[in-house]
Amino acid sequence: MNATAKPAGNHERRAEVSSALARRLPAHAVLTAREDLFPYECDGLSAYRQTPLVAALPGTVEEAAEVLRVARETGTPVVARGSGTGLSGGALPLADGILLSMGKFNRILAIDPLARVARVQPGVRNVQITEAVAPLGLYYAPDPSSQIACSIGGNVAENAGGVHCLKYGLTVHNIQKVAALSIEGDALELGADALDAPGYDLLALMTGSEGLLALLTEVTVKLLPKPQVAQVVMASFTNVEAAVDAVAKVIGAGIVPAGLEMMDKMATAAVEDYVHAGYDLEAEAILLCESDGTPEEVAEEIAKITEVMREAGCTRFAVSGSEAERLKFWSGRKAAFPAVGRISPDYYCIDGSIPRGALAKVLRRIAELSKHYGLRCANVFHAGDGNLHPLILYDANVPGEFERTEEYAGNILELCIEVGGTITGEHGVGVEKIGQMCAQFNPAELAQFHAVKAAFDPPGLLNPGKAVPTLNRCAEYGAMRVQGGRLPHPDLPRF
Amino acid sequence: MADHFIPDLADRVKDHAARKAALRIRGGGTKDFHGARLEGETLDVAGYAGIVAYEPRELVLTVKAGTRIADIERALAAEGQMLAFEPPGFGEAATIGGTVACNLSGPRRPFAGAVRDFVLGTRIVNGKGEDLSFGGRVIKNVAGYDVSRLMAGAFGTLGVLTEISFKVLPRPPAEATLAFEMDEAGMIESVNRWSGQPLPLSATSWEAGVLRLRLTGASSAVAAARAKLGGTEIPDGTAYWDGLREQRLAFFAGEGPLWRLSVAQTAAPIALGPPQLIEWGGGLRWVRGAIEAARAREAAEKARGHATLFRGGDRAAGVFHPLAPALAKIHRRLKDAFDPAGILNPGRMDNF
Ligand SMILES: Cc1cc2nc3c(=O)[nH]c(=O)nc-3n(C[C@H](O)[C@H](O)[C@H](O)COP(=O)(O)OP(=O)(O)OC[C@H]3O[C@@H](n4cnc5c(N)ncnc54)[C@H](O)[C@@H]3O)c2cc1C
């Protein structure tokens, strides 16, 4: 962490690369002064910071192509950046690299209501799309909690999800086509205006590729008809196991809720203090379960959900009676991160994903580890799809506390792998989870990933060092995890 | 045999890679008609069959790639669930691996998603004989590139599929099929307009001046939509949609060439001569009869899509739509990245 900027010799590189850029871009589109570069030093994972060699802010696809050309001709790595809300350091600059901000690409280019698609530039913010098409009775389904800030390009690069993705899918399910520039200077069109495209599914491959394969310059998103009604059930449980069981029972009853979220007691206390929505502070776990569709469908589904929650032993129960109340019930869950940010100087968000059946077991273990490391942990999850977001509370100013936090987080991620899950459900690997990639994939699988990258980016200049670890790095990681043939913390029980 | 299947398969692939000897991957053989050339010694994968894990409450199913689609659908139906992309099989012996490799999705595709949308993870043996796993058995997973979805539609040219995990969904309780007399242009307008409204649509099909529309969902929602849309309810709806998915309708009978034009759903009628059946809310136009490849491709491009010679006809001229040069370059490199000796189903995708 906290890598320091400016290794020796960087002055000349900076001069070389920035003058090459200045020859091809408008003057205001190339930044080199320390104070101008400051806003680009980190993304949402602010514990990691790095000043880039230079920042480029192209305003057109031609200018973006020029930036890539300079990168290619000078052998300089490039890190693309959307809104910088990423939580895994994907947009963390490189000391010897160009930071390419897509911030100026902020226009919605076309909306076709009959075809239910919108063509947008990658810097358009997620929520802007829904706002623009709402008058047509349409919306863009993926709704990450960061939707007022995050860019659609960043969403594609991370395959972002949201609270509605169990029913409506992730970014990959809601885009139809992208335009991109390869490092070699080719304009690529992946996907199609039709429901499929000839050849390999490169659109799927591009989605979630964290800026390592190509620079996205345009995205065609699918729009859905806005459901006529939505209602949310809020139910309290006196223990986490009962809440987990209720989640399984909802799915078991043949319901795919529009959203199914859980908060534990500490998370509930934090958000209640922040939004005052009337959450039950006595509950060990709160479930929010949403139904949407036609009025008939919703009435039928809410009746079923009610029955299931009661059977599962919920202690308090409420159904939203109005749109205002529905938004109030959701407000806390949507603001969980900032709310937790108020009760602790710093927090660290984890993104493991597990089979739901292992939820109770994993939560128990997270609590044990919390005691072991002496760090508090608030839990919010996308319970319906098994995506956990434990938030570890720490204070970066206490020496050693961040290191302990990272170790705690690493243990949780490995636990996710152990129970058959994954180290990241929606936030990406970035720089943050690069070590745990070595635990999730074997060397042959990692080598296959590197070969995929080389097919798109032969010189290896796009966001190098992120998302996929080198085999050397994994060797170091292995040595670190098993010091002297012992697992760390042999005193702790393992599954 | 099952325990040794993957190691044995990997050894065989390694051996063929060393000798640069082609392998032709075969499940049930029901899709031999589809794709360009069939080359090499047969690699039979139908024997690797069975459900590896199925937890209905997780909405996740993991199967060996040789499992028959019929067996999967039976297991799912017993729990009131389904593969929502309605996998076409084209024969009793059809395996799930073949359907995934050929990227086949049924009538529900525009409303529920394509086969690749439901793939959560795959285990493959690549052209180097390496046993690799990507994705997983969880609904959300963004660790590493999405190689699993890349396998859908790769026709086995990047790896032999051995195991696949899917997201499954509950089977909606009610279904109804409505029929409307409509000309082609009117149908394209109507199905797109309805698709933009909160209606429980799950399939559309138009031929010879008749649009059939399937509604699927909660009983109350289906009833409300039926009242709103009008049309005539037809009693044998389920049989019709099965016939469409499996291409058993009269439209598909006989040996003549069948062109598949995948185009923008809103594209205006495409006049080509031979009769057409149009499904996927206007997005999929089947053309039954001989047309010159260049004409089919040009017409599809004008409609912002692509044309495939799906069945029959002259396969020598290439069956898939040619790729833009920049994409062809990446395809070639990806093929080399997964199968450097070029032994897996060579030529099945024309050049790959
Ligand atoms: C409070 C908060 C809540 C959040 N909630 C959610 C949530 O509910 N669900 C969820 O999925 N995520 C969530 N996130 C994470 C984050 O918002 C998403 O990952 C988002 O998709 C990032 O978009 P961005 O524009 O900020 O991208 P950035 O952070 O700028 O970049 C992310 C990655 O995308 C690459 N990239 C960006 N633009 C391009 C481009 N044009 N071409 C190629 N590569 C590009 C970057 O190189 C980087 O690797 C949350 C974050 C915060 C801070």
Side-chain angles (χ1 to χ4, degrees):
Chain A
M1 68 172 275
N2 298 332
T4 44
K6 288 193 244 163
N10 242 18
H11 276 319
E12 285 143 53
R13 281 293 284 163
R14 175 167 290 154
E16 182 199 347
V17 176
S18 59
S19 62
L21 286 169
R23 279 196 296 279
R24 296 182 163 110
L25 298 187
H28 52 83
V30 183
L31 309 177
T32 50
R34 178 77 210 236
E35 63 274 19
D36 292 337
L37 295 176
F38 182 71
Y40 302 103
E41 274 184 357
C42 68
D43 64 3
L45 182 68
S46 56
Y48 292 77
R49 285 179 185 273
Q50 176 62 58
T51 310
L53 196 62
V54 50
L57 288 70
T60 63
V61 176
E62 292 69 30
E63 288 173 12
E66 289 300 324
V67 177
L68 295 185
R69 172 139 72 120
V70 169
R72 190 167 68 238
E73 287 175 0
T74 59
T76 312
V78 187
V79 178
R81 178 185 173 102
S83 301
T85 68
L87 291 172
S88 54
L92 181 74
L94 297 171
D96 59 349
I98 301 170
L99 189 284
L100 198 173
S101 166
M102 295 303 280
K104 289 184 186 165
F105 287 78
N106 57 4
R107 281 186 307 129
I108 295 179
L109 300 172
I111 296 168
D112 184 340
L114 188 63
R116 294 148 279 122
V117 293
R119 201 157 55 79
V120 307
Q121 291 189 318
V124 164
R125 289 173 295 112
N126 172 297
V127 76
Q128 262 179 288
I129 303 177
T130 290
E131 282 169 3
V133 301
L136 302 165
L138 300 169
Y139 78 113
Y140 175 64
D143 60 342
S145 304
S146 51
Q147 71 183 136
I148 55 165
C150 63
S151 74
I152 195 74
N155 289 174
V156 174
E158 300 286 8
N159 193 14
V163 298
H164 290 99
C165 59
L166 181 63
K167 183 167 176 183
Y168 295 105
L170 307 158
T171 303
V172 70
H173 303 107
N174 288 280
I175 57 175
Q176 194 149 334
K177 190 173 87 169
V178 300
L181 289 171
S182 76
I183 189 70
E184 297 173 293
D186 290 324
L188 309 174
E189 198 180 285
L190 313 178
D193 291 320
L195 290 169
D196 45 36
Y200 299 137
D201 195 339
L202 302 189
L203 181 60
L205 203 52
M206 186 63 59
T207 312
S209 63
E210 303 192 25
L212 271 77
L213 301 185
L215 178 72
L216 297 157
T217 55
E218 207 175 283
V219 183
T220 301
V221 300
K222 296 183 195 170
L223 305 171
L224 295 179
K226 194 168 160 42
Q228 284 167 281
V229 224
Q231 265 187 307
V232 62
V233 164
M234 179 161 73
S236 311
F237 293 84
T238 49
N239 65 74
V240 170
E241 277 82 1
V244 169
D245 189 45
V247 170
K249 284 194 169 119
V250 169
I251 310 278
I255 299 168
V256 180
L260 185 46
E261 297 285 314
M262 192 191 293
M263 297 191 286
D264 74 358
K265 194 168 192 169
M266 192 186 303
T268 306
V271 302
E272 178 57 21
D273 198 38
Y274 186 45
V275 300
H276 309 291
Y279 292 114
D280 180 357
L281 296 172
E282 302 299 308
E284 286 297 324
I286 287 185
L287 286 182
L288 290 167
C289 185
E290 180 154 290
S291 169
D292 68 10
T294 64
E296 304 84 12
E297 269 173 319
V298 172
E300 226 174 277
E301 214 166 81
I302 290 285
K304 272 203 231 168
I305 293 170
T306 307
E307 197 185 308
V308 172
M309 295 291 176
R310 292 249 154 84
E311 261 172 34
C314 74
T315 48
R316 256 177 69 180
F317 178 87
V319 186
S320 63
S322 65
E323 186 60 11
E325 195 174 29
R326 184 181 77 88
L327 295 176
K328 193 169 94 179
F329 285 4
W330 274 117
S331 62
R333 171 60 191 91
K334 287 233 174 187
F337 295 2
V340 166
R342 289 172 75 231
I343 62 165
S344 169
D346 299 283
Y347 69 91
Y348 193 97
C349 172
I350 299 165
D351 177 42
S353 194
I354 56 169
R356 260 184 291 96
L359 209 52
K361 189 177 182 177
V362 167
L363 288 179
R364 229 176 296 128
R365 181 84 181 123
I366 289 176
E368 281 167 25
L369 287 166
S370 165
K371 283 203 199 101
H372 174 84
Y373 285 104
L375 294 165
R376 291 180 298 161
C377 181
N379 284 291
V380 294
F381 337 96
H382 306 299
D385 45 33
N387 188 191
L388 314 173
H389 289 322
L391 301 166
I392 303 174
L393 313 187
Y394 73 101
D395 184 348
N397 290 323
V398 176
E401 201 154 299
F402 179 73
E403 287 72 17
R404 263 190 300 140
T405 302
E406 278 202 312
E407 200 177 303
Y408 181 6
N411 272 294
I412 296 177
L413 295 181
E414 285 175 20
L415 177 61
C416 291
I417 302 174
E418 233 171 84
V419 301
T422 173
I423 57 173
T424 173
E426 59 181 13
H427 294 167
V429 173
V431 290
E432 183 204 17
K433 301 174 209 76
I434 197 135
Q436 285 81 24
M437 282 292 281
C438 309
Q440 186 158 339
F441 294 99
N442 67 34
E445 288 155 353
L446 294 172
Q448 190 69 78
F449 286 146
H450 286 298
V452 166
K453 175 163 174 65
F456 283 84
D457 174 20
L461 291 175
L462 295 176
N463 218 1
K466 312 276 181 71
V468 185
T470 60
L471 298 182
N472 272 340
R473 192 173 171 130
C474 286
E476 283 166 27
Y477 174 80
M480 193 181 79
R481 304 304 296 163
V482 194
Q483 276 156 349
R486 274 185 313 121
L487 286 166
H489 313 296
D491 52 310
L492 286 173
R494 295 188 169 259
F495 293 127
Chain B
M1 167 197 136
D3 283 353
H4 298 285
F5 187 87
I6 292 178
D8 289 353
L9 185 149
D11 284 344
R12 179 138 178 238
V13 172
K14 270 186 208 141
D15 170 57
H16 275 250
R19 295 187 285 116
K20 293 205 184 306
L23 281 169
R24 172 190 161 198
I25 309 162
R26 190 174 185 277
T30 52
K31 280 163 280 287
D32 283 354
F33 70 85
H34 189 39
R37 300 188 300 284
L38 297 174
E39 264 173 37
E41 207 173 288
T42 301
L43 177 68
D44 198 330
V45 290
Y48 194 59
I51 289 173
V52 178
Y54 175 33
E55 179 43 70
R57 288 179 174 203
E58 299 281 345
L59 299 178
V60 177
L61 166 78
T62 303
V63 291
K64 296 177 183 172
T67 314
R68 289 189 176 198
I69 291 176
D71 293 337
I72 293 175
E73 296 206 311
R74 208 168 307 119
L76 289 171
E79 300 290 339
Q81 296 188 334
M82 63 176 185
L83 286 171
F85 59 96
E86 290 190 309
F90 305 137
E92 269 293 287
T95 66
I96 192 68
T99 290
V100 170
C102 295
N103 211 18
L104 297 171
S105 308
R108 200 186 300 269
R109 192 271 171 252
F111 306 98
V115 47
R116 60 87 117 160
D117 292 316
F118 292 90
V119 171
L120 299 176
T122 54
R123 184 170 174 187
I124 65 167
V125 172
N126 69 6
K128 295 192 253 182
E130 294 168 331
D131 173 14
L132 310 174
S133 293
F134 299 103
R137 293 184 196 174
V138 286
I139 306 279
K140 281 161 97 178
N141 186 356
V142 293
Y145 303 118
D146 199 344
V147 172
S148 307
R149 288 197 169 90
L150 180 67
M151 292 300 136
F155 284 81
T157 60
L158 300 179
V160 185
L161 287 163
T162 55
E163 289 173 15
I164 312 169
S165 295
F166 293 100
K167 178 181 178 187
V168 299
L169 286 179
R171 182 177 290 280
E175 181 176 303
T177 300
L178 306 177
F180 303 81
E181 285 198 12
M182 242 180 230
D183 68 14
E184 188 177 345
M187 175 278 294
I188 292 168
E189 230 282 313
S190 300
V191 295
N192 277 286
R193 202 158 30 78
W194 288 332
S195 296
Q197 294 171 12
L199 292 165
L201 300 183
S202 71
T204 75
S205 171
W206 177 92
E207 59 172 313
V210 177
L211 167 68
R212 288 178 182 79
L213 201 68
R214 184 175 65 184
L215 304 170
T216 311
S219 338
S220 52
V222 169
R226 195 165 48 197
K228 180 173 172 190
L229 292 169
T232 322
E233 179 151 8
I234 56 170
D236 57 346
T238 306
Y240 178 83
W241 299 111
D242 281 348
L244 175 62
R245 154 182 162 175
E246 294 299 322
Q247 300 196 340
R248 285 190 309 249
L249 300 178
F251 175 86
F252 296 101
E255 291 304 308
L258 176 68
W259 281 89
R260 176 189 190 274
L261 272 59
S262 175
V263 299
Q265 289 178 271
T266 50
I270 304 169
L272 282 166
Q276 293 187 27
L277 184 147
I278 302 179
E279 51 169 330
W280 288 12
L284 186 56
R285 309 195 185 183
W286 298 102
V287 185
R288 196 60 218 276
I291 25 173
E292 222 182 291
R295 233 183 112 219
R297 303 230 149 94
E298 197 191 307
E301 277 176 25
K302 253 171 80 195
R304 293 181 291 146
H306 63 103
T308 311
L309 179 54
F310 194 80
R311 201 191 270 276
D314 175 16
R315 294 209 243 174
V319 305
F320 296 102
H321 205 95
L323 299 168
L327 287 188
K329 181 164 74 179
I330 291 173
H331 275 66
R332 168 51 49 206
R333 292 189 193 140
L334 275 176
K335 170 71 178 172
D336 291 343
F338 282 88
D339 176 21
I343 54 161
L344 298 178
N345 278 355
R348 186 89 191 237
M349 288 184 86
D350 292 326
N351 303 316
F352 306 104

